[in-house]
Amino acid sequence: SKALALAEITVSTGVALANGIKQAQELGKKLVDIHFDAYISSDLQRSFDTCKWIVGERKASQIVCTQLLRERNWGSFTGRYIPELANLNNPSEWPDDIETLDELKQRAKHFLDWIKSEYPDKVILAVGHGIINKAIQSVFYDKPMNEIAVMKNADIRILQLI
């Protein structure tokens, strides 16, 4: 791949839905002059929706979905109400089935290797979730994840993949 435009998902449910759609559509307008050879999204609905809002309904059928761009696997924390998770801020007390940062970075490397082999010399728009986007940048720049700036909803980062 030549370049990877890594986009952060927007909120696609509840009262923030209208704002999420607007943010994604505004990002699409900013990217209108870039020719993307492929659109890749997490296979989770809110990521696919964000990608569709960025690229437009007309190109939605071209979006390729992958589990590699999914949010962190929270194991037995998945689906739980966050205020109930008293030990959320203490990773040493987390259950063993939560995806570790090393595992996230391995998945990020797998994603980068996959797009380089599947989409050589292409410009890719990829829409993923916060921490996997951070892990991809951590692997790409060979920096610790805590040195990668947080991406806000509908943020974009361009990685030059030569």
Side-chain angles (χ1 to χ4, degrees), residues 38-128:
Y39 311 106
I40 302 173
S41 167
S42 154
D43 64 335
L44 299 179
Q45 190 65 48
R46 65 188 185 272
S47 182
F48 179 82
D49 288 345
T50 299
C51 193
K52 180 178 66 176
W53 297 327
I54 292 169
V55 304
E57 199 69 47
R58 199 169 52 80
K59 296 178 182 170
S61 64
Q62 299 171 38
I63 299 170
V64 174
C65 293
T66 177
Q67 292 184 359
L68 294 172
L69 289 173
R70 277 190 173 189
E71 182 54 274
R72 182 182 207 164
N73 180 350
W74 284 100
S76 52
F77 273 3
T78 301
R80 300 265 311 274
Y81 184 55
I82 289 174
E84 292 174 358
L85 303 175
N87 55 354
L88 187 61
N89 291 325
N90 186 354
S92 68
E93 296 181 23
W94 289 1
D96 291 337
D97 61 352
I98 293 176
E99 188 174 20
T100 66
L101 292 184
D102 282 344
E103 289 167 337
L104 267 169
K105 288 175 77 169
Q106 287 172 13
R107 182 157 50 102
K109 183 182 183 320
H110 184 72
F111 172 74
L112 288 168
D113 290 344
W114 175 71
I115 62 167
K116 286 176 187 174
S117 69
E118 287 294 312
Y119 302 96
D121 300 318
K122 304 290 185 197
V123 178
I124 311 297
L125 173 66
V127 179

